[in-house]
Amino acid sequence: MRSSPLEAAHEAAGATFTDFAGYRMPVRYSSDLAEHHAVRQAAGVFDLSHMAEIGVTGPGAVPYLDHALAGSFGAMPVGRAKYSLLLAEDGGILDDLVVYRTEEDVFLVVANASNRQVAVDALTARADGFDVEVSDDSDTTALVAVQGPAAAGTLDALVVADRLQPETPLDELGYYRVLHALFDGADVLVARTGYTGEDGFEVYSDPAVATEIWDAILEAGADRGVVPAGLAARDTLRLEAGMPLYGHELGTDVRPAQAGLGRVVAKDGDFVGAEGVTPAEDARVLIGLVTEGRRAPRAGYDVVHDGVVVGSITSGALSPTLGHPVAMAFVDPSLATEGQLLHIDVRGTAIPSTVTAFPFYRRTPKG
């Protein structure tokens, strides 16, 4: 089992660990609910060093990415990030990714930890014939994220203290943007993406300085209510935000449009998987469900309509923010209309549920 470069810091903070994608990662520090609420009300700091980072460098980077991924990257400016998909030959989803353009011919592709080898192997194989170098930089990259309404103020405090020196002011860093910076003289990347439905930042660094970054963010955010947060809180936060998770909502048996990701796919693109990307007309589609009562549906529970199984839950939980259960499910397309009444079979009890649009939770914009 692999260890995060922040493992000692997690142990000192009293973390409970779990095996996640072959890594020993913190699942919680205090309680799932406390950490969830901290992100919604202040901010949480996450160790995401288990994620896979893959470098793509060279004059052929843009045409290569247009071929390897289901997106279009030619018009993507330096300093931007883009959500994309790595597809199998038949159009199924091998992984969902975030791609950063950090220089003209330099891109950073961030894949899920559980799909690191799949992504590395596929991206390496697809580089044949392109003037590009693909490198697995996962073991030489650490990743610390701070998510929540206090995230910006916390990083601003590090700028004021001259520990974090961004190449441009942080308040000019828009959503799905990335910039170069120094932290105590060490090169880092600061991105503004996130997976919680809140404003937030990610700091990519050499593992040697990860602990200093982690400690500095927590110290700067202590008076703001910023706390370390584990994988359990991250999962309920992303569910409230209606964000799909590979292995639950995404997989090789799912086409992008089924999961509401048709917008990610380049129209008329000549990419791997293009020929099979269109799902069958009767293929089940991803929906959101709001459930009555407090019994949370779980992955694998049947979705029923008029006594007939019409789908299956992929993720579900009692929403800490909303106070009622929410779930994601694949159902027959004829029943995917917002407001449609369905039932979830929760251990033999039919629980009424209503189809609702994503996200379940949306933060209130400033101003």
Side-chain angles (χ1 to χ4, degrees), residues 296-302 312-318 327-328 344 346-347:
R298 301 298 182 190
Y301 286 8
D302 288 336
S312 181
I313 299 295
T314 55
S315 297
L318 177 61
M328 303 172 83
I344 301 174
V346 180
R347 299 179 181 178

Side-chain angles (χ1 to χ4, degrees), residues 145-278:
V146 54
Q147 294 279 304
T154 299
L155 287 194
D156 283 340
L158 295 181
V159 174
V160 171
D162 205 30
R163 299 199 67 184
L164 182 65
Q165 299 172 321
E167 61 182 355
T168 57
L170 283 182
D171 60 7
E172 296 178 8
L173 184 66
Y175 188 55
Y176 260 66
R177 304 290 195 273
V178 63
L179 55 76
H180 292 274
L182 295 176
F183 178 84
D184 287 351
D187 291 323
V188 299
L189 288 174
V190 179
R192 197 171 198 167
T193 54
Y195 193 59
T196 64
E198 298 293 343
D199 185 24
F201 300 82
E202 298 77 41
V203 182
Y204 294 85
S205 74
D206 187 290
V209 296
T211 299
E212 286 75 13
I213 293 171
W214 174 271
D215 290 343
I217 292 174
L218 286 172
E219 182 180 352
D223 293 340
R224 297 174 169 85
V226 179
V227 301
L231 292 174
R234 187 168 181 256
D235 190 49
T236 51
L237 290 160
R238 71 91 192 169
L239 176 58
E240 289 182 346
M243 296 181 175
L245 176 64
Y246 196 91
H248 288 252
E249 290 73 41
L250 306 178
T252 54
D253 59 340
V254 177
R255 302 298 180 270
Q258 290 178 256
L261 298 176
R263 68 188 185 281
V264 176
V265 178
K267 295 181 179 179
D268 303 320
D270 184 21
F271 52 84
V272 176
E275 293 184 3
V277 75
T278 303

